Amino acid sequence: MTHPLALTVLAAGLVVLSAAATAAETAVASEADRVQAQLSEGGFSYFVGLAMQRSRYRETASSLPVRSEVDANSPLLVTGALYAVTPDWLASLDNETTFAPSTVTETWSATAPSVAGVTLGSPVLQTNQFRFSDTVTRLLAHRRVQDQWFALGGLAMRSQSFRRFGYVAGPDGLVSITPGQTTEETQAEVLLQLGAALDSEVLRGRDRHYGVRLLLGVPIWRRVENTAFPQSRFDRLGGWDLALEARYSRALARDVQLGGWLKVSHSSRPGQSGVGGIELPSHRLSQAALGAELLWKL
């Protein structure tokens, strides 16, 4: 026969176990709810309007002491979003595209007193009209390191167009000009990008948002073509990109903020020799952009 005290102890034990299991399930559910709420609140989308970008482009030949330089301005369209995947992993998708690029004058100058054995009376060898277009799409993973600090890594796909026309030979007439000639050089590349970021991350219900990120990129695939040399392809890798970006905004409503965006960047690419003495000069591109942006989390 079972003793009544034993039954009482067993029943009490079952009650305690049941209560503990219920408490554990409640804790797990509460944690899951907390994580889900954190993910639903995190991240934002944005659009940069009224942005302007200034680009300084330079080419330097290796076969001749010749260098070109040009400054160009253009409006810039910037869109993107930050997504919360887990509490410690985020992802961002960004796109920057120039539109209605300005037409400016590019100057090709000698860097020595003579070129091809000819002593120069003027360092200007050639001028031409220049129009530059640039598009980059970037996909990055953000890994939380501590609090609002993140390590970044991902890929960027970039496409550039350098359109030249209206050629005018310099005073010494060393350059042969074809009247009405228009040439276009296009560059497409994929870059591996790594960096770090500070980001307040959450926009909804906050009175402000801020973010800063630093990215270093290296090309892992590249192709350059020029309409003046349709049979030539240049695919040499090498070079680097460095970019610093910052944004700050204040709330207009619970889910909408208005602020400013700033970016400065620099890229360098090596030259490459082609068949028949054709050369792709090395080049450097420095850019600075500033604009007002709208952020939202709907």
Side-chain angles (χ1 to χ4, degrees):
M1 178 179 294
T2 304
H3 197 280
L5 181 59
L7 290 176
T8 301
V9 172
L10 179 59
L14 291 175
V15 171
V16 171
L17 289 175
S18 177
T22 301
E25 291 176 357
T26 301
V28 170
S30 298
E31 178 63 17
D33 291 342
R34 184 191 69 80
V35 171
Q36 186 59 41
Q38 183 177 353
L39 295 180
S40 65
E41 294 297 317
F44 55 88
S45 298
Y46 66 87
F47 166 76
V48 177
L50 303 176
M52 287 296 296
Q53 177 171 268
R54 182 174 180 83
S55 302
R56 169 165 288 186
Y57 181 71
R58 288 169 291 175
E59 287 190 1
T60 303
S62 61
S63 57
L64 292 171
V66 176
R67 179 178 60 203
S68 76
E69 186 167 348
V70 60
D71 291 332
N73 297 318
S74 64
L76 188 67
L77 178 66
V78 185
T79 59
L82 179 68
Y83 305 96
V85 181
T86 72
D88 291 327
W89 284 95
L90 287 77
S92 63
L93 179 64
D94 311 286
N95 179 267
E96 301 167 17
T97 301
T98 57
F99 66 98
S102 60
T103 298
V104 293
T105 300
E106 180 181 30
T107 301
W108 297 78
S109 303
T111 57
S114 65
V115 174
V118 178
T119 301
L120 301 175
S122 169
V124 177
L125 301 176
Q126 172 187 290
T127 61
N128 57 263
Q129 298 302 290
F130 179 91
R131 193 174 297 156
F132 170 66
S133 299
D134 188 13
T135 297
V136 58
T137 299
R138 189 180 299 107
L139 177 62
L140 297 173
H142 301 230
R143 177 68 169 93
R144 191 186 306 277
V145 177
Q146 184 178 7
D147 299 329
Q148 297 178 344
W149 289 96
F150 296 86
L152 308 180
L155 296 175
M157 291 161 285
R158 188 170 196 174
S159 176
Q160 295 175 321
S161 169
F162 308 88
R163 188 175 182 86
R164 296 178 170 99
F165 54 96
Y167 291 90
V168 177
D172 294 294
L174 291 182
V175 180
S176 177
I177 301 297
T178 301
Q181 180 183 12
T182 296
T183 61
E184 184 172 12
E185 184 173 283
T186 56
Q187 174 177 284
E189 57 186 6
V190 177
L191 298 95
L192 174 65
Q193 293 197 312
L194 300 173
L198 170 67
D199 202 297
S200 59
E201 181 186 350
V202 178
L203 181 142
R204 176 176 289 164
R206 303 295 177 85
D207 63 348
R208 62 174 180 164
H209 172 268
Y210 55 86
V212 178
R213 67 180 179 183
L214 178 67
L215 286 170
L216 174 65
V218 292
I220 57 176
W221 177 86
R222 185 174 182 233
R223 184 179 69 189
V224 181
E225 300 178 349
N226 193 308
T227 57
F229 314 107
Q231 304 304 318
S232 298
R233 302 289 186 275
F234 301 96
D235 56 7
R236 179 183 176 183
L237 298 178
W240 48 270
D241 281 29
L242 183 64
L244 176 64
E245 179 181 338
R247 57 169 34 94
Y248 181 83
S249 59
R250 301 286 296 186
L252 295 178
R254 181 175 182 270
D255 300 325
V256 180
Q257 294 194 10
L258 180 66
W261 173 84
L262 169 69
K263 181 178 179 180
V264 292
S265 64
H266 187 82
S267 66
S268 176
R269 297 290 181 272
Q272 182 178 353
S273 297
V275 178
I278 298 172
E279 179 188 1
L280 176 69
S282 63
H283 75 248
R284 292 177 177 270
L285 176 65
S286 299
Q287 295 177 303
L290 177 66
E293 71 174 352
L294 185 70
L295 301 88
W296 65 90
K297 174 67 175 181
L298 303 178

